[in-house]
Amino acid sequence: MVRMAGMEDHERKIVVEFVHLLEKSKQLFNGLRDLPQYGHKQWQAYFGRTFDIYTKLWKFQQQHRQILDTKYGLKRWQIGEIASKIGQLYYHYYLRTSETNYLNEAFSFYAAIRGRAYYSRAAKEDRSELMVKKLRYYARFIVVCLLLRRMKLVRELIVELDRHIADYTSTYEPDDQIEWSLVLDEIKAFIASDSLVSVLHADTNPIVLSHRLSPLTTPPVEKSQYMNLTLQEILVVGSATEQVKFSELTMDMFRMIQTLEREPQEDFNHIYDASPAPGRMPYGVPGQKGYLENGDRPSRRENPHKYLLYKPTLSQILVFLASGFKELPVNGALLLYLSSDGCFSTSKHPEDMGFDLGGVSTTSKRDGEHKKTKEVHCLYPGDLYPFTRRPLFVIVDSDNSFVFQHIPRYFGQPLVTLMSPQDTPPAFQDQQHNGSLFTLFLHSPLTAFCYCCSINSIAIHHWERCQSFVDRFVTEASRLFTRARVDLSYLQFFGDDFLRLLLLRYIFCEVVLHLHRAFRGRQYRPRCQPPLPEAELLENPALQHLVLDLATHLEVRAHFEGHELE
């Protein structure tokens, strides 16, 4: 309880105003949990009010720190709590908007907490809940650093988190010590799986590469009148049970969301400061005048809007799909990405291709899957039929992916389905927890190529030379694609940077696995619907030559025996 006696009037006013702002900020922050996770307009005004109050609170405590320290008894961990909440706000705003600038803002506030050691005395307060706040802050900071590819910092934070968990468990012997040990194990496993192929400096230190879309990685295209669609809404679903995950992100989800974002191009020098500058207005604060007009979305988006669902129920998938469908502007396309275990059917004579062949599990595998009734927690191809009223691009990474090749085009709208191989060669089966090879090809084709050929590390100059082969492949494939006899759906999607990149990387995956000795069975290779012309694309000699040249350069031609250069 703050004692008001003995305070000057202006001091009392400052303390009262601070307490008011603090209480109001907590109420608004707690209310965020009740906002719908889908849609665009339902939550923006509330987020704007919350940002506004936290901006006032942050500036207020900076301007009146001395009075708040002496008269209110403001502690450093309490300042850390405010900064942590602002960091969370920005992270959740990134999740809702897909704009990576907000990730950078979250980082700047989380870095301030560490740089100024706001939580350094939390252990000395003799309150276990303060230590839990500190541990949660570390877990959140690690997620943001992972998404920003700040891997050196991630490793430092893991060491610190390990130490703080040890302090916490030895001091309090809490009930949740096993859970915190699991969090630590999860993040360590995630880091290991993320670095399947190490790219090394001359001094053998690993280099961190970004795989977001940039002007350098955007494949060229000869535009045509048919290329009229842009990717606007994305639903990324991760339900693969055996895969490493951290903070409701499986490895496949983690790779795919980066693939579907542009590399931030702005100057973020302020991020390297020890903390946000006093009085600095954070980047594009939602709710500020001029940020959005009439609650509408900005006229120009850097990135398509994404929803991320980790092991959702079927009803959640349908609600979020319907929301994305509803939000599509004219000439907008919806992308559904599914990384899931298969739900298999025992029907000997399927009558309905939409529901009789099984689908993919939305939550997790269950006992008794092969019972007579259809699986409730299965997303069937037939569930997607209503959404084909608008342009739909589907990627299914599953051991039952091929059942999605029969989706009819009842409404005559563009529809493309990319399907992962249904099986993995024996040599790769014990690596399933590291994420899917198919998604890895879509995320970083050269990493996937090296992984297929058992290359664990590669020098940076070698990597860059090899990347030039991949770039030439993509450029040539793009040229061939626009001239080949492909279904019109492909051309309509091909004008969008992200969808073009995914299609060309799919072709790279198809050509590599077709030539690779270990992937000779049809079940080991991907499929697409409508089919792409084999002679013009998938078995094109120029594309095959580039893959074999890459193999020769990496000295792994033995993996491609039987396919000789002419």
Side-chain angles (χ1 to χ4, degrees), residues 447-466:
T447 303
F449 186 92
C450 291
Y451 177 69
C452 283
C453 299
S454 306
I455 296 171
N456 301 320
S457 62
I458 178 171
I460 181 63
H461 67 277
H462 209 30
W463 170 274
E464 288 172 348
R465 178 83 179 91
C466 292

Side-chain angles (χ1 to χ4, degrees), residues 237-253:
V237 179
S239 303
T241 49
E242 301 301 319
Q243 211 169 99
V244 294
K245 67 97 179 171
F246 181 58
S247 183
E248 301 209 328
L249 281 179
T250 65
M251 182 55 70
D252 280 354
M253 293 173 73

Side-chain angles (χ1 to χ4, degrees), residues 84-112:
S84 181
K85 288 285 202 305
I86 296 172
Q88 287 178 65
L89 267 178
Y90 274 117
Y91 176 66
H92 284 285
Y93 208 75
Y94 155 72
L95 289 180
R96 286 170 181 268
T97 62
S98 305
E99 298 305 346
T100 44
N101 298 315
Y102 298 118
L103 264 184
N104 282 300
E105 289 297 339
F107 177 89
S108 68
F109 277 90
Y110 284 149

